[in-house]
Amino acid sequence: MTREVRAFAVTVLTLAALGVAAGLLWSGLTPRAPYQVTDQGTVLADPTTQALIAADGWFAVITGGLGLLCGGVAWFAGRRFMLPVLLGLCAGGVLAAFLTLWAGTTFTLGAVTVEAASIPGVKVVPGALKLTASGVLVSWPLLAVGFFGLLEGMHGYRESPLRQPYGIDPS
């Protein structure tokens, strides 16, 4: 196995492991929407609840923050294998986002409390954690690759001979 393939694989597998941990964190931090159990099934107990939007927001904050962290660490650690690490950030970020979604919706962590104005005798239960805005799935790979590119661009500019026009040495 070549070093480039190894760098790609290590990047993808590291981000995948972080994705499962991020899913557990997302499950522990996100409030659950209240649902009422009726004869027709479960219905949203409080139509004005912000819990559904909060789940999307927490997902975006957690995966976006980890994307920035991974992009920075990958740029500093992967100086010898820039392209494989960059491709690993992209593929691993997509995989990590889906693993975050899977782990967060599969496992329930943290205190699940549901408070809603309900009719006495009607059972109110916490709803399952779900993602309603699927666009936040791209926050991890987009921010990881974007921050990696920003750092590389700043480094490339600082080292560029075009920064000293006409061969003038600033020292």
Side-chain angles (χ1 to χ4, degrees):
M1 179 147 81
T2 67
R3 291 180 184 180
E4 289 83 11
V5 173
R6 188 177 307 131
F8 174 80
V10 166
T11 305
V12 170
L13 293 175
T14 302
L15 268 63
L18 284 173
V20 173
L24 296 176
L25 179 65
W26 180 51
S27 176
L29 291 177
T30 305
R32 303 293 199 275
Y35 285 86
Q36 288 182 346
V37 180
T38 64
D39 294 335
Q40 292 81 22
T42 56
V43 294
L44 197 58
D46 183 10
T48 62
T49 185
Q50 300 296 315
L52 299 173
I53 298 169
D56 297 339
W58 275 109
F59 187 91
V61 167
I62 291 168
T63 57
L66 284 171
L68 289 172
L69 178 72
C70 290
V73 169
W75 185 80
F76 283 110
R79 299 291 303 155
R80 291 187 57 204
F81 308 106
M82 295 301 262
L83 184 59
V85 169
L86 180 62
L87 293 175
L89 276 177
C90 186
V94 170
L95 178 62
F98 280 106
L99 286 173
T100 301
L101 178 62
W102 172 79
T105 56
T106 303
F107 304 106
T108 301
L109 297 178
V112 179
T113 58
V114 176
E115 298 175 13
S118 65
I119 302 168
V122 176
K123 184 172 179 165
V124 177
V125 297
L129 186 60
K130 63 181 179 178
L131 200 62
T132 55
S134 58
V136 297
L137 282 169
V138 300
S139 62
W140 192 319
L142 184 67
L143 287 173
V145 170
F147 192 55
F148 185 93
L150 176 70
L151 290 174
E152 182 59 25
M154 287 175 17
H155 176 73
Y157 173 73
R158 194 175 56 216
E159 301 294 321
S160 173
L162 297 176
R163 194 164 169 220
Q164 293 113 14
Y166 308 112
I168 299 172
D169 189 14
S171 55

